[in-house]
Amino acid sequence: AGWYNSGVTANFSVSSPANESNGTRYVFTQWSGAYSGTNSSGSTTMSGPKEVVANWKTQHYLTTSENPSAGGDITPSPPGAWYDSGENVQVNATVSSGYEWAGWSGDLSGTSRPATVQMTSPKQVTANFGKLVDVTVGTNPVGLSFRVDGTTYTSSQVFHWVENSQHTLAVDSPQSGATNVQYLYSNWTDGGNQSHTYVVPGSNRTVTANFTTQYYLTVNSSHDSPQGTGWYNSGSTANFSVSSPADESNGTRYMFTTWSGDYTGSSPSGSVTMNQPKEVTANWDAQYYLTVTSAHDSALVGTIRE
């Protein structure tokens, strides 16, 4: 802009793009007025006063990124590109091997691919990918039941889960085994409760529900109320006993004699190591009371055992 002699050529120009700030800029489109053209510079012969006008369009920057970068690729590629204000831009993502598509974030949401973002202002879009992790879930001893996200399994399972995703692990306790064998929940190897939320780590893992094996001790006795019947941890010592004499009534009582079954002994109490289901039986002899009376001399009182 300025004064020019009559008949000379006046040159004019603008720099494009211009006024770039915070993701917005302006791009020259064309001249209008005394000159028309799409180049950012031009000239005119000054045969009189003249006016030329530079016309502009607004552009916004679309910033793109990948999370994590190894998980896949986003289009447009990072760091992004400029687009005209109001333009509908298609974004897409491809997933790398070992990862799973997790969806969009930023100024775009959902999981649809491809998707469209309208450039009414500067925008930011991230393509999120989940790292696939193999998590093996099972029990010790093997073959017991467990639940993963509500589904029951009775053998070890390998799940292909996304890192940081959450899943529910649970077991019932106690669980029945063979006759007079049961399994009591002890712990999960990841430190969780009997039923808990498991957050998938960044590397392959094995998660096991540990159970304690228990065996049942049966204490049989036709007399008295025997003590010791019940469940015992494998390898523990089970104590049992009866009281003797027992069930004395109307001149009859019963005297303990021996144990039979998985334990032998003549003491009313005993113990066994519970390395399997066990059964012991208390054996008894009956005794009867003899009362001797006499009109003379002292009465002789005694007992006779059958």
Side-chain angles (χ1 to χ4, degrees), residues 40 42 47 69 82 90 102 136 206 226 230 235 249 261 265 269 278:
S40 59
S47 56
S69 59
W82 290 97
Q90 185 182 88
T136 303
T206 296
S249 176
S269 62
K278 292 193 174 179

Side-chain angles (χ1 to χ4, degrees), residues 81-267:
W82 290 97
Y83 294 94
D84 293 345
S85 179
E87 183 176 354
N88 290 319
V89 179
Q90 185 182 88
V91 292
N92 204 353
T94 56
V95 184
S96 298
S97 176
Y99 288 82
E100 185 173 282
W101 172 238
W104 306 105
S105 61
D107 290 306
L108 189 62
S109 60
T111 57
S112 297
R113 292 181 293 164
T116 300
V117 59
Q118 189 175 37
M119 298 302 296
T120 55
S121 62
K123 297 291 178 72
Q124 184 274 328
V125 174
T126 298
N128 297 288
F129 306 97
K131 182 181 178 182
L132 290 176
V133 176
D134 288 344
V135 178
T136 303
V137 184
T139 63
N140 177 34
V142 299
L144 301 182
S145 68
F146 59 95
R147 295 189 303 280
V148 177
D149 295 332
T151 300
T152 300
Y153 303 91
T154 55
S155 60
S156 293
Q157 302 291 315
V158 179
F159 297 93
H160 307 291
W161 285 335
V162 176
E163 181 183 5
N164 293 322
S165 62
Q166 297 184 357
H167 302 271
T168 300
L169 305 181
V171 293
D172 293 324
S173 179
Q175 295 189 29
S176 298
T179 302
N180 288 337
V181 179
Q182 73 174 12
Y183 302 95
L184 196 67
Y185 167 76
S186 177
N187 65 286
W188 283 99
T189 56
D190 69 320
N193 295 326
Q194 184 173 336
S195 176
H196 67 285
T197 298
Y198 178 73
V199 180
V200 179
S203 59
N204 296 345
R205 296 292 173 85
T206 296
V207 184
T208 303
N210 292 311
F211 287 79
T212 297
T213 302
Q214 292 189 324
Y215 299 116
Y216 196 78
L217 171 64
T218 302
V219 182
N220 298 313
S221 178
S222 57
H223 302 286
D224 191 37
S225 297
Q227 304 297 308
T229 293
W231 292 101
Y232 294 87
N233 291 346
S234 175
S236 65
T237 298
N239 298 307
F240 50 90
S241 64
V242 291
S243 295
S244 180
D247 299 347
E248 183 174 325
S249 176
N250 299 320
T252 300
R253 72 179 185 180
Y254 298 90
M255 296 295 295
F256 170 82
T257 57
T258 59
W259 293 100
S260 59
D262 290 307
Y263 176 82
T264 58
S266 57
S267 172

